[in-house]
Amino acid sequence: MLRTHTCGELRIDHKGQEVTLSGWVQKQRDKGGIVYIDLRDRYGITQLIFEEGVTESKLIEKAKTIGREFVLSVKGEVVERYSKNDKIPTGDIEIRVSELEILNVSKTPPFTIEEETDGGEDLRMQYRYLDIRRAAVREKLELRHLMMAKVREYLTGEQFIEVETPYLIKSTPEGARDFVVPSRMNEGEFYALPQSPQTFKQLLMVAGLDRYYQIVKCFRDEDLRADRQPEFTQIDCEMAFVEQEDVLNTFEGMTKFLYKEIRDIELGDFQRISYQEAIEKYGSDKPDLRFGMEFTELNDLAQGKGFVVFDSADLVVGINASGCAEYSRKQLDALTNFVKKPQIGAKGLVYVKYNEDGSFKSSVDKFFDQEALKVWAEKMSAKPGDLLLILAGEKGQTRNALNELRLEMGERLGLRDKNAVVPLWVLDFPLLEWDQDSQRYHAMHHPFTSPKPEDIEKLDADRGNVRANAYDLVINGVEAGGGSIRIHDRELQAKMFETLGFSKEEAEDQFGFLMGAFEYGAPPHGGIAFGFDRMCAMMAGEESIRDFIAFPKNNSGRDMMIDSPSKISSEQLAELGIELNQNNKS
Ligand code: ASP
């Protein structure tokens, strides 16, 4: 037997028992007369002891030759330690070894396999199998597993069935580029990997499956921003005979269930906010509501007083940074530089200090007297000791910039509490979004999303103002999931494609299968998909999703361990009928 117990299992109650343990050597300490070895497996660490006068000297000699990450199987007696270690659950005992088998040796690992590692990101990825030996990474994968199990438990309980959909499909338009796979048997033709199983899950509703889910890989060939992976996992769901309210309730239920089961947090009913309100109050469609600091628009008070920056602006808007009136010149300069960073793009920052003595000091004193500033302060619910921060300019851009500043102030003031969980539904997204580059409308969610019935008539003349039956779940300022009630009527779907600039032929060619299915009795349906990797990270209160994925890719989309993507042989290429440029040939 290679083991009778795990390395995390033994306690003082096991004293006197003869046990066999197997695992990796975390550490070996040679104290002359005594050799200690910390033996690690997935479940924990147990100390082994080899002691002169007690242990056979041959065994002690053998123990001295053992290095980090060797794989051992040992037999011995559980004994009470002289000096206990209250940092680990097995810290009261140790194993007095009587037999030792080296199951395998190990090279010295390229980084330390401990809680805090000295390994850089790429090195850790290259030796991911060593990185995963670290408890910190392993625990994240264990959490991921638990999340999967709990998602399945909840959805199965709600009558959902998990159905697998194909990975070799044809392009689905979710707004990103497809990864494509050449077909050998159909030379010159390509499959695409799904950006999501969107059309398939809708077809399953036409097929009468009623409630579908799948924990599924999705693929998007986007430029990688930090914490985006080209392949990622969704909890993908669809329901038939539902309205928006049904979908929201079902998945609010799932989210509450997960937080309760996994973190023992009881979430109250989720707040709801319209897209429009989110943009006006927070400058973002995924506001972090762990804190307030809502926007106040000041156009009526600030314009027409001779300050050209305000007078020429679309929007003058500010936030109240409570308790910050004491900010120094240096601190204010830092905030100004923050908003002027190219990625934020404000031209400047106006501040108003509401001093403790009731007076005001601002960067626009020349244009606004104490009386005027007092009116601003009232509108922004400020009290003595507060600091008003104001931006002006084009609407969208100014709101974006103030959103960044709000988040920055939230951070500085410690208002974004890692342990708080504040979920909200963002509703009533616009159906369409104007794209400056291509000079046409795009579907904000995707082309299968239905317009609100009362807005359908605007599809011709007032497209920009059509609202969709679409919703996002946002938790702590992060988009956890999003979905919509779908179009299930062929005519409306065709109209949608036309609105998006598809010709009849293009629409038929790409989505004829779906529109065709709608002609055979498609039920009303809708659904949602959650970013599973991100949900796992959120559940752990972490920002990075990388360690919740066993084998992630780096920022250039490379798998550092298997060294992929890679060239393929000319034979493989020839078989696929693909010719590369001369200088790309392998
Ligand atoms: N397929 C959508 C997405 O991946 C989600 C949905 O509409 O259900 O974002």
Side-chain angles (χ1 to χ4, degrees):
M1 211 191 288
L2 288 184
R3 61 179 172 192
T4 54
H5 295 79
T6 70
C7 296
E9 203 176 336
L10 298 170
R11 302 284 183 275
I12 196 72
D13 294 347
H14 295 90
K15 195 170 144 182
Q17 283 188 26
E18 178 89 351
V19 298
T20 305
L21 299 185
S22 290
W24 287 264
V25 173
Q26 171 86 20
K27 213 165 30 190
Q28 184 254 45
R29 279 158 299 152
D30 182 354
K31 304 259 176 191
I34 302 187
V35 179
Y36 293 107
I37 290 177
D38 284 350
L39 196 66
R40 165 190 10 93
D41 66 8
R42 181 181 138 196
Y43 309 92
I45 289 181
T46 299
Q47 177 165 290
L48 313 178
I49 179 167
F50 304 78
E51 191 176 6
E52 240 166 54
V54 186
T55 315
E56 225 182 297
S57 48
K58 251 183 34 215
L59 209 50
I60 301 185
E61 285 318 304
K62 194 168 174 189
K64 288 187 179 185
T65 66
I66 283 167
R68 273 160 61 198
E69 302 308 318
F70 276 38
V71 188
L72 311 181
S73 180
V74 298
K75 201 168 177 174
E77 187 192 336
V78 181
V79 297
E80 189 167 355
R81 284 206 208 181
Y82 304 120
S83 62
K84 306 215 156 86
N85 177 354
D86 58 11
K87 294 207 179 62
I88 55 171
T90 61
D92 286 348
I93 56 96
E94 59 197 356
I95 309 299
R96 204 167 270 295
V97 177
S98 52
E99 283 174 38
L100 163 66
E101 188 183 351
I102 299 178
L103 298 175
N104 216 335
V105 296
S106 169
K107 296 211 276 190
T108 304
F111 49 83
T112 51
I113 300 182
E114 282 171 23
E115 195 66 31
E116 294 293 329
T117 178
D118 53 359
E121 186 88 14
D122 276 358
L123 200 61
R124 287 178 47 212
M125 294 305 151
Q126 188 183 343
Y127 296 93
R128 188 63 162 171
Y129 46 89
L130 297 181
D131 201 27
I132 296 174
R133 285 187 194 163
R134 294 170 53 226
V137 182
R138 191 196 65 233
E139 279 160 10
K140 291 184 178 131
L141 295 179
E142 286 170 346
L143 176 81
R144 183 185 177 102
H145 162 74
L146 182 63
M147 283 276 285
M148 278 200 182
K150 290 293 170 190
V151 165
R152 292 199 159 105
E153 181 184 331
Y154 178 84
L155 291 175
T156 302
E158 295 289 317
Q159 255 58 50
F160 284 77
I161 62 170
E162 185 161 22
V163 182
E164 288 164 281
T165 52
Y167 282 150
L168 296 175
I169 65 165
K170 86 180 184 181
S171 176
T172 45
E174 306 260 355
R177 254 179 239 110
D178 289 317
F179 280 103
V180 294
V181 180
S183 164
R184 179 183 57 80
M185 287 193 287
N186 305 275
E187 206 180 291
E189 295 189 307
F190 296 82
Y191 300 101
L193 301 179
Q195 293 184 36
S196 87
Q198 185 61 36
T199 51
F200 286 95
K201 65 174 171 175
Q202 293 192 238
L203 291 169
L204 290 174
M205 294 305 106
V206 181
L209 285 194
D210 198 71
R211 291 183 165 206
Y212 141 96
Y213 84 99
Q214 184 179 192
I215 299 181
V216 62
K217 274 288 175 70
C218 300
F219 306 85
R220 296 184 189 177
D221 188 5
E222 295 172 295
D223 293 334
L224 296 178
R225 282 194 246 131
D227 249 31
R228 271 233 183 123
Q229 289 279 316
E231 57 177 298
F232 59 98
T233 304
Q234 285 190 339
I235 311 168
D236 190 47
C237 311
E238 198 74 9
M239 307 166 82
F241 302 113
V242 286
E243 295 174 326
Q244 174 166 302
E245 199 56 34
D246 303 305
V247 181
L248 299 188
N249 288 333
T250 303
F251 292 97
E252 184 162 325
M254 183 182 84
T255 311
K256 286 177 179 167
F257 177 79
L258 293 174
Y259 273 95
K260 175 70 193 148
E261 293 280 311
I262 295 171
R263 284 192 51 195
D264 200 22
I265 293 178
E266 263 338 308
L267 294 176
D269 289 343
F270 296 3
Q271 301 179 54
R272 294 179 179 199
I273 181 173
S274 74
Y275 171 86
Q276 192 57 33
E277 193 184 346
I279 297 293
E280 282 168 12
K281 282 194 178 157
Y282 306 101
S284 165
D285 61 2
K286 40 176 192 294
D288 184 348
L289 293 198
R290 281 174 295 180
F291 65 107
M293 222 186 269
E294 284 174 20
F295 292 9
T296 307
E297 300 192 358
L298 296 168
N299 289 34
D300 51 343
L301 301 180
Q303 291 184 318
K305 302 284 160 27
F307 181 42
V308 56
V309 173
F310 284 174
D311 289 350
S312 62
D314 246 359
L315 178 70
V316 182
V317 59
I319 49 173
N320 175 7
S322 193
C324 296
E326 301 285 307
Y327 264 33
S328 65
R329 180 79 257 162
K330 205 165 139 209
Q331 283 170 302
L332 290 168
D333 284 348
L335 291 181
T336 308
N337 291 335
F338 174 83
V339 297
K340 282 165 101 175
K341 283 197 293 196
Q343 60 277 35
I344 297 185
K347 297 215 174 55
L349 174 68
V350 167
Y351 70 82
V352 179
K353 288 179 169 185
Y354 194 167
N355 297 320
E356 290 292 355
D357 66 5
S359 69
F360 294 91
K361 170 83 197 91
S362 84
S363 54
V364 287
D365 282 349
K366 252 186 32 207
F367 302 97
F368 302 94
D369 59 18
Q370 297 282 310
E371 244 352 272
L373 296 176
K374 179 145 204 222
V375 181
W376 293 17
E378 270 160 21
K379 186 156 188 200
M380 295 176 76
S381 314
K383 49 188 193 325
D386 291 352
L387 172 71
L388 313 181
L389 298 168
I390 297 152
L391 296 177
E394 187 274 321
K395 240 188 201 151
Q397 214 244 321
T398 304
R399 283 179 175 148
N400 278 338
L402 195 60
N403 164 46
E404 297 291 345
L405 183 62
R406 173 179 175 270
L407 294 175
E408 171 70 16
M409 290 311 298
E411 202 65 68
R412 282 174 187 242
L413 297 173
L415 302 173
R416 300 175 76 184
D417 176 4
K418 226 179 118 158
N419 293 313
V421 182
V422 183
L424 79 148
W425 290 106
V426 181
L427 306 174
D428 304 341
F429 277 82
L431 185 70
L432 303 165
E433 181 176 42
W434 179 251
D435 183 60
Q436 206 51 40
D437 293 339
S438 57
Q439 287 289 306
R440 56 188 191 87
Y441 280 104
H442 284 257
M444 192 147 182
H445 188 50
H446 51 53
F448 316 110
T449 295
S450 63
K452 289 208 175 285
E454 62 271 30
D455 287 0
I456 289 183
E457 59 189 34
K458 293 189 199 154
L459 265 178
D460 290 317
D462 191 12
R463 295 183 177 175
N465 283 320
V466 179
R467 288 165 309 152
N469 278 319
Y471 32 79
D472 274 358
L473 177 65
V474 174
I475 302 178
N476 293 357
V478 177
E479 184 190 325
S484 60
I485 298 299
R486 326 298 183 187
I487 297 169
H488 64 281
D489 170 71
R490 185 192 164 105
E491 290 318 309
L492 186 56
Q493 187 65 70
K495 167 116 191 141
M496 184 66 185
F497 284 127
E498 186 195 311
T499 307
L500 295 171
F502 285 74
S503 71
K504 266 208 165 60
E505 293 68 40
E506 283 168 338
E508 194 52 47
D509 183 45
Q510 289 182 48
F511 302 106
F513 66 93
L514 184 68
M515 291 192 287
F518 286 175
E519 293 179 287
Y520 289 94
H525 61 286
I528 191 164
F530 295 88
F532 183 67
D533 312 292
R534 182 145 295 132
M535 288 267 277
C536 292
M538 279 191 303
M539 193 59 72
E542 297 270 342
E543 293 204 342
S544 171
I545 63 171
R546 284 242 178 116
D547 282 345
F548 294 88
I549 299 172
F551 299 106
K553 300 197 170 35
N554 76 3
N555 279 341
S556 338
R558 296 202 71 80
D559 183 319
M560 299 296 288
M561 187 178 66
I562 60 172
D563 194 23
S564 163
S566 62
K567 297 215 162 73
I568 59 175
S569 71
S570 37
E571 290 76 24
Q572 265 177 305
L573 286 170
E575 222 171 37
L576 295 166
I578 295 177
E579 261 189 76
L580 295 184
N581 296 335
Q582 198 54 37
N583 46 10
N584 277 338
K585 267 203 179 135
S586 55

